[in-house]
Amino acid sequence: MQAGEPFDLVVLAADAIDKLIAAGCVIADSKTDLVRSPVAIAVRAGTPRPDIGSEDALRRAVLSARTLGYSTGPSGTALMRLFERWGIADARPRPRRAGPPGVPVGQLVARGEVELGVQQFSEMASQPGIDVLGTMPSGCEIVSTFSAGLCAASAQPEAVQALLAFMRSPPPRTPSGATAWSRLNQSIQNTGAHQ
């Protein structure tokens, strides 16, 4: 994209959209935040489930894990900053393994290549062979925002603006009055509830 490849709409992590805006590739006022994606922790199915119910508990779980897998994307970057804040950036577990691009961390966990996996809940929720322990606890939550934007060289700017306006519109309501999005969010929270 930065090399000038034409496109109409881009959906990426918010910080990547910001870089494209700064480079003049995306129209600044078109940036539309779409999804807030919480990060979750998982272990291989059938293995012990460490306590991650508090920041201290999660820190202990990370330090006691023999291996740790994480994303090369925004959640992995945020995780490394959290480790720096905790003063464990150079501590165990070793090895830490960033999942190769395109390979979900959950797959590494399911294959037993890493003991503890950290990545967006949406990436791990349907991964067979793992137990999702829950999302990051209060005080150390990692939530990645994904955004959309209009390419500065779009051949169809009106159509893209209409799509972005639709994406910014309020979610539809179900007959019960709850929005479909809020029901989905509640479902995600229930599935990833701390145990």
Side-chain angles (χ1 to χ4, degrees), residues 21-35:
I21 289 170
C25 299
V26 170
I27 305 297
D29 66 358
S30 73
K31 181 180 174 186
T32 301
D33 291 343
L34 301 175
V35 177

Side-chain angles (χ1 to χ4, degrees), residues 33-118:
D33 291 343
L34 301 175
V35 177
R36 290 179 39 84
S37 179
V39 170
I41 299 98
V43 295
R44 190 173 190 181
T47 62
R49 300 169 61 99
D51 177 15
I52 62 158
S54 69
E55 185 170 355
D56 286 340
L58 177 59
R59 184 177 186 277
R60 285 190 303 273
V62 165
L63 288 171
S64 67
R66 289 185 307 277
T67 53
L68 177 81
Y70 58 93
S71 167
T72 57
S75 65
T77 301
L79 184 66
M80 294 303 110
R81 283 194 305 264
L82 177 64
F83 288 175
E84 287 174 13
R85 180 170 66 85
W86 284 349
I88 64 167
D90 296 320
R92 286 183 28 98
R94 292 286 184 215
R96 291 184 190 150
R97 179 169 176 196
V103 177
V105 171
Q107 284 184 9
L108 302 177
V109 175
R111 294 191 302 235
E113 294 177 30
V114 296
E115 183 178 342
L116 196 65
V118 181

Side-chain angles (χ1 to χ4, degrees), residues 113-172:
E113 294 177 30
V114 296
E115 183 178 342
L116 196 65
V118 181
Q119 191 171 24
Q120 269 82 23
F121 176 79
S122 60
E123 294 287 332
M124 293 201 278
S126 62
Q127 174 66 49
I130 67 172
D131 290 333
V132 177
L133 304 175
T135 57
M136 305 277 289
S138 178
C140 63
E141 304 94 334
I142 297 174
V143 179
S144 300
T145 300
F146 291 88
S147 305
L150 166 65
C151 174
S154 172
Q156 305 179 64
E158 296 83 14
V160 173
Q161 289 289 18
L163 177 60
L164 291 172
F166 172 76
M167 292 175 160
R168 285 189 293 267
S169 66

